[in-house]
């Protein structure tokens, strides 16, 4: 399937056939929580709210938003490099390599991370090189889940899914071609 987002591949699947995918929404495990740093950019925090609404629109399950709350089994960790404690902890504990983001602008990585910390089985990290990069990464996931970026303007219907999984991997956006 061709993705309509920035990434050249489709990363979302309706089935966990291989058993190693990250469950964004699952009939058994429920919906993954959104973990972020309240001190991240205001624009990023707004986009986290949008993602919460988008996941709810697609799956009919509303993710919890977590900042300092205890770990949950499946978390979508969202943040800007250097502006998010939760992201910087993943990086400093060598759970994720962000070389593709260093010194770049408007770039993001979406990656699945097994056992990122005690109490969490798996996380899906959305990390931006800067504010815009993080926001683009968040909207990439929304688009891949089936929410058109034109949803609010053009009345494009949301693709409904009972379950949604992100294929395990490390997906990097690269820099935009024009500045």
């Amino acid at each position: 399937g061709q993705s309509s987002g920035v990434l050249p591949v489709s990363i979302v699947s309706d089935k966990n056939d291989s058993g190693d995918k990250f469950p964004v929404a699952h009939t058994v495990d429920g919906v993954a929580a959104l973990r972020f740093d309240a001190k991240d950019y205001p624009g990023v925090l707004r986009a986290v709210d949008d993602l919460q609404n988008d996941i709810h629109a697609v799956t009919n399950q509303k993710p919890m938003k977590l900042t300092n709350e205890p770990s949950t089994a499946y978390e979508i960790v969202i943040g800007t490099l250097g502006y998010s404690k939760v992201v910087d902890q993943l990086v400093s504990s060598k759970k994720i390599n962000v070389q593709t983001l260093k010194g770049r602008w408007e770039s993001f990585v979406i990656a699945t991370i097994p056992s990122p910390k005690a109490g969490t089985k798996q996380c899906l990290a959305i990390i931006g090189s800067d504010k815009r990069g993080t926001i683009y990464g968040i909207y990439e996931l929304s688009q891949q889940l089936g929410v058109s970026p034109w949803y609010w303007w053009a009345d494009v219907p949301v693709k409904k899914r009972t379950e949604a999984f992100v294929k395990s991997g490390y997906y990097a956006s690269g820099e935009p071609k024009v500045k």
Side-chain angles (χ1 to χ4, degrees):
Q2 200 41 40
S3 119
S4 57
V6 176
L7 296 175
V9 290
S10 168
I11 65 170
V12 171
S13 163
D14 289 331
K15 290 194 275 301
N16 192 8
D17 32 36
S18 52
D20 64 346
K21 296 178 183 145
F22 177 85
V24 175
H26 188 259
T27 46
V28 180
D29 293 311
V31 63
L34 306 178
R35 185 173 293 279
F36 58 99
D37 188 329
K39 294 192 183 74
D40 210 322
Y41 293 101
V44 168
L45 304 184
R46 272 199 304 277
V48 169
D49 286 342
D50 290 344
L51 180 61
Q52 182 186 39
N53 293 328
D54 288 349
I55 291 173
H56 185 233
V58 170
T59 67
N60 229 10
Q61 298 192 64
K62 193 161 199 174
M64 286 186 304
K65 293 197 312 184
L66 307 176
T67 50
N68 299 315
E69 292 80 356
S71 298
T72 59
Y74 296 100
E75 295 183 355
I76 300 173
V77 174
I78 300 163
T80 311
L81 215 50
Y83 292 86
S84 166
K85 265 204 193 100
V86 57
V87 161
D88 293 346
Q89 275 160 1
L90 282 176
V91 175
S92 63
S93 65
K94 307 253 189 299
K95 293 289 178 187
I96 186 165
N97 181 339
V98 288
Q99 286 318 102
T100 56
L101 295 179
K102 296 264 167 76
R104 299 268 175 98
W105 44 275
E106 296 182 12
S107 302
F108 65 83
V109 162
I110 298 178
T112 53
I113 306 173
S115 322
K117 58 186 165 71
T120 301
K121 290 182 193 168
Q122 201 186 10
C123 84
L124 178 68
I126 302 176
I127 303 175
S129 61
D130 52 24
K131 175 178 75 176
R132 277 200 173 152
T134 308
I135 293 169
Y136 292 158
I138 293 168
Y139 290 135
E140 176 73 22
L141 180 58
S142 282
Q143 267 181 268
Q144 294 253 1
L145 284 167
V147 179
S148 160
W150 304 110
Y151 171 64
W152 299 109
W153 294 278
D155 205 28
V156 178
V158 169
K159 181 183 159 124
K160 298 280 188 182
R161 304 170 184 262
T162 316
E163 299 193 311
F165 301 91
V166 171
K167 297 168 189 171
S168 294
Y170 181 99
Y171 308 98
S173 66
E175 287 182 277
K177 298 289 176 276
V178 277
K179 192 152 191 174

